[in-house]
Amino acid sequence: MTSLTGRALRLTVYIGEDDTWHHKPLYSEIVHRAHAAGLAGASVFRGIEGFGASSLIHTSRLLSLSEDLPVAVVVVDTEERVRAFLPQLDELVEEGLVTLEECEVVRYVGRTGGPEGTKPKGKKSL
């Protein structure tokens, strides 16, 4: 597991959920490449409404159902690692918005003990 505390860089990629890379969701390709690059972590957030450079509003409201809702892929790691990952985004992201923001990591701890993917039951007392 990557160790990460203190100053960091947050990379956010705003795209549409219907955007693809070789018939695969683009957000999934970004997450898998971030993982392969050894970045500390990546998460995908699906928006309920939004618009971008095209000025077309995408919404999840029932009367105007959109299948191309906004998606944000967020990656946090050291500045050096995030900036080294940017050339891959140049290859992948044809439409959308990519931002970088400085941030501070206060806590970054993975799950320990038990099979992978299981959540520990409660906290240990000292």
Side-chain angles (χ1 to χ4, degrees):
M1 180 174 85
T2 301
S3 175
L4 183 63
T5 55
R7 293 189 62 207
L9 205 57
R10 178 177 50 237
L11 163 69
T12 307
V13 182
Y14 299 93
I15 54 177
E17 85 177 316
D18 285 349
D19 292 347
T20 60
W21 176 259
H22 296 261
H23 309 291
K24 177 179 172 184
L26 178 56
Y27 59 82
S28 181
E29 182 67 18
I30 294 170
V31 168
H32 283 87
R33 286 195 185 196
H35 184 262
L39 294 173
S43 297
V44 178
F45 300 94
R46 184 177 188 225
I48 58 172
E49 189 166 24
F51 71 93
S54 68
S55 293
L56 178 63
I57 294 179
H58 301 272
T59 181
S60 64
R61 286 181 285 152
L62 189 59
L63 294 177
S64 56
L65 216 63
S66 172
E67 296 182 9
D68 190 23
L69 293 171
V71 171
V73 183
V74 180
V75 176
V76 176
D77 207 321
T78 64
E79 181 173 359
E80 180 182 350
R81 289 183 191 154
V82 169
R83 290 196 183 277
F85 184 66
L86 291 178
Q88 292 198 54
L89 291 180
D90 286 339
E91 176 188 356
L92 296 172
V93 180
E94 293 179 6
E95 296 177 351
L97 173 67
V98 178
T99 64
L100 294 172
E101 301 91 25
E102 290 183 4
C103 64
E104 181 179 355
V105 175
V106 176
R107 181 174 170 86
Y108 177 67
V109 180
R111 295 181 179 149
T112 58
E116 187 175 341
T118 61
K119 200 172 188 177
K121 307 243 193 255
K123 291 183 176 180
K124 281 188 173 181
S125 298
L126 295 178

